Amino acid sequence: MSAALLAIDMPAHADTVPGVHAEMRGVTRVYAGLGGQSGVHALASTDLTLRRGEFYSVIGPSGCGKSTLLDVLAGLSRPTGGTISFEGRPVDGQVPDGVGVVFQEDASFSWLTVADNITFGLRRAGAEPAEVARRLDYALRLMGLADFAKSYPAQLSGGMRQRVCIARTLVLQPRLILLDEPFGALDAQTRLIMGDELLKVWRETGATVMLITHALDEAAMLSDRIGIMSARPGRIIKEVTTGWPSARDSRVATDPGFGRITADLWSVLREESLKAIGQGNLR
Amino acid sequence: MTRVGFLRLLVVGGFVLVLEAMCRTGLISPRILIAPSEMALRLAQLLAAGKFNADIAETLGNVAIAFVLSVGGGFAIGAAIHALPRLRRAIDPFLASYYALPFFAFYPLFIVLFGLGRGAIIAIGFLFGVVAMIIATLNGFDRIPRVLVKTAHVYRMGPVSAALRIKLPSATPYLFTGVKLAIAYSFIGVIAAEFIMASSGLGYSIAYAFNNFDNRTMYALMLFVIVLVTIVNALFHGYEQRLLRRLGC
C-alpha cells in the first residue's frame, strides 16, 4: 500500500499569504464570571502564525491558557476578540473542515471497537466502504493497532487508547492536526515512543502539526518551532527555532543542540512559571 | 455456579420448602395461603386451559407500551432538560419530590382524562416510570466526560446526533438504572391500575379471584407475576452485565 495514502490533498483554498496555514491576530479570550464574580482572562492579545507543514509546539506554565489557545484555534470556542484564520478563511465557533484535534483525556468511544472508533468520522461523512476499509487498514498499521481492530478500548492500555484517538483523527486526512497534551497521561517511556510515532505521522501525512505540551524536552525534540507562553493571561512571548532535519526522532535528545534549546526554553519559561505560582520575585 | 449463587438458590429453595411444609402440616390455614406446589399446579392448569391467555397478553402489552414510552420519552425529555440548565434548576425540586405523590389517589382523574380503557392504565404505568428515566438521563448526561462533548464538536455533530451517537452510549451505565426502574414501575403501575380501574388483565383477574374467595386462582396468578417479573429482570440483568463488561465498567 502506498505510504502516501493518507497524505493530504492540496487545500481547497489557497493560503492568503503563501506558506501561512493558520493564523491568530490579537486573539483574546475572557471566560465570563459566575454570579457577579469577575471573569477569567485566559488569553491576552495573542498572535500566532503556523506555516504550512511545520511542527509547532506551544509550551507555557500551567494554567497559562494553552488549552484555551488550542480551543479557539480549533473553533471549539469563540474568541472574545481578534481574528483567526485557517487556509485563508475565518474560524469562528465551528471546527473547520481539514482540522483534526487530539485531546489529553481519553476520548475513545468505549462502546465501539477500535476499528469502529477509527472509522467513526469516515462513516459519518458517508465514505465508500472500500475507502473506509483502506484507510482503516493503513491507520491500524501506522499506529501499531493491527492486532487490536476488534478489541474494545477497555481492553487496551492508556497509550494504545491514545493511539486509537490519533488514528481516528488521521483517517479523516486533516491538513492541520492540533494536539492538546496528548501524552500527558502516559509514562515517560511511552511518551518518547509516542513522540516518535507522531513525527512519523507528521512526515507521512505532510500535515501541519500544533502540539500543546508542558514538557520542555518533548517540545525541544519534536518541533521545528516552539512558542513559549507567558503566565496567565497567556500570550506567546518568544519563539524558538530548533533547526532539526525533518527525518528526526527522539534520538535528537543526544544531540548537543538539544541541551542548548532546552536551556533556551527554560530560561524564559522559568520566570513565567514562577509568576504563575505567585513567586515572581524569586529570581 | 458461584458459591454465592448457590447460597442464594439455597435461601430461596429453603424458604419455599419451609412454606410448603407449613402449609401441608396445617400450620398455615389454606384459607390464608395455599402450598407453593399447589400454586404451581393450579398455574399449570390455568395456563394449559388458556383461561387467562387474553388477560396475560393484555397486561404484558400494557406494560410493554408503558415501558417503551417511559424509556423513550424519559430519555428525550431528560436530554432536552439537560440542554436547558435554567429550566433544569427550576424543575429540579419537582423531579426530586415526584415519587412522594400518592399516585393512585388520582385515579379518577385518569379515568376522566383517558376513559375507562387501556389508555388510562398505560398512562399510569408511563407516568410512574418516566420520571425515573428522566432523572437517570440527567444523572448520566452529567457524567459524560467533557472531552467526549468536545469530540462531538470536532465531528461537527448537531445536538440530536450528539445526544444519540455520543451521549446516549456514553451515559449507558447510568441510563440502565433508569431502564431497570422503568421496568419495575411499568409493572407496578399497570397491574395496580388494573386492580382498580380495569375489567380485564392480570391485575383485574387477581382482584376478581380475591373478591370471589378463589384462593387457588389468586395465588396461581400471583406466582405467575413473580415468575414473569423475575425472568424479565434476569434477562435484562444478564444483558446489562455483558454490556458493562465490554465497556470496562
Side-chain angles (χ1 to χ4, degrees), chain A residues 55 102-106 139-140 142-145 156-170 177 179-203 209 211 213 217-219 221-223 248-251:
Chain A
F55 196 124
V102 180
F103 300 101
Q104 173 179 359
E105 304 92 338
D106 176 18
L140 282 172
L142 185 66
M143 299 312 296
L145 292 165
L156 306 179
S157 69
M160 304 253 280
R161 273 188 286 219
Q162 200 55 296
R163 281 196 191 122
V164 172
C165 294
I166 295 174
R168 197 171 69 185
T169 304
L170 284 184
I177 305 175
L179 303 108
D180 189 1
E181 304 206 26
F183 314 137
L186 307 178
D187 65 84
Q189 284 119 38
T190 310
R191 271 173 46 191
L192 284 173
I193 301 295
M194 294 290 288
D196 282 345
E197 287 182 2
L198 185 57
L199 281 172
K200 195 166 88 183
V201 164
W202 168 65
R203 271 194 302 275
V209 169
L211 171 74
T213 177
D217 53 343
E218 204 167 86
M221 203 165 68
L222 300 173
S223 326
R248 59 179 177 260
D249 60 31
S250 55
R251 284 171 294 184

Side-chain angles (χ1 to χ4, degrees), chain A residues 47-51 53-59 69 73 176-179 202 208-213 219 222-229 236-240 248:
Chain A
D47 295 329
L48 171 68
T49 302
L50 296 179
R51 297 174 194 152
E54 78 171 332
F55 196 124
Y56 190 98
S57 293
V58 176
I59 58 168
L69 177 83
L73 180 58
L176 172 61
I177 305 175
L178 305 173
L179 303 108
W202 168 65
T208 309
V209 169
M210 187 180 89
L211 171 74
I212 304 277
T213 177
L222 300 173
S223 326
D224 293 317
R225 289 194 304 144
I226 302 151
I228 308 171
M229 281 183 84
I236 291 177
I237 48 172
K238 190 182 178 188
E239 284 183 330
V240 172
R248 59 179 177 260

Side-chain angles (χ1 to χ4, degrees), chain B residues 46-138:
Chain B
L46 290 175
L47 289 177
K51 196 178 163 204
F52 289 101
N53 283 3
D55 294 289
I56 291 168
E58 185 181 328
T59 298
L60 278 181
N62 289 346
V63 170
I65 295 170
F67 168 72
V68 170
L69 288 177
S70 303
V71 170
F75 176 75
I77 296 169
I81 294 175
H82 191 267
L84 303 165
R86 243 172 242 248
L87 173 69
R88 181 179 176 180
R89 274 205 299 280
I91 63 171
D92 243 353
F94 302 122
L95 292 178
S97 55
Y98 182 80
Y99 285 104
L101 277 178
F103 234 90
F104 292 96
F106 305 113
Y107 84 90
L109 181 68
F110 288 97
I111 295 176
V112 172
L113 285 176
F114 297 99
L116 257 178
R118 294 180 78 166
I121 290 162
I122 292 168
I124 286 192
F126 164 73
L127 286 169
F128 218 49
V130 69
V131 172
M133 191 63 199
I134 293 175
I135 293 170
T137 305
L138 287 171

Side-chain angles (χ1 to χ4, degrees), chain B residues 190-204:
Chain B
V190 165
I191 291 178
E194 284 175 350
F195 277 138
I196 46 179
M197 47 204 267
S199 49
S200 54
L202 268 177
Y204 166 81

Side-chain angles (χ1 to χ4, degrees), chain B residues 156-171:
Chain B
R156 294 199 294 254
M157 300 170 92
V160 175
S161 176
L164 291 177
R165 303 209 47 193
I166 305 262
K167 293 181 176 177
L168 169 66
S170 170

Side-chain angles (χ1 to χ4, degrees), chain B residues 39-49 220:
Chain B
M39 291 180 202
L41 190 71
R42 177 67 179 157
L43 177 58
Q45 288 168 354
L46 290 175
L47 289 177

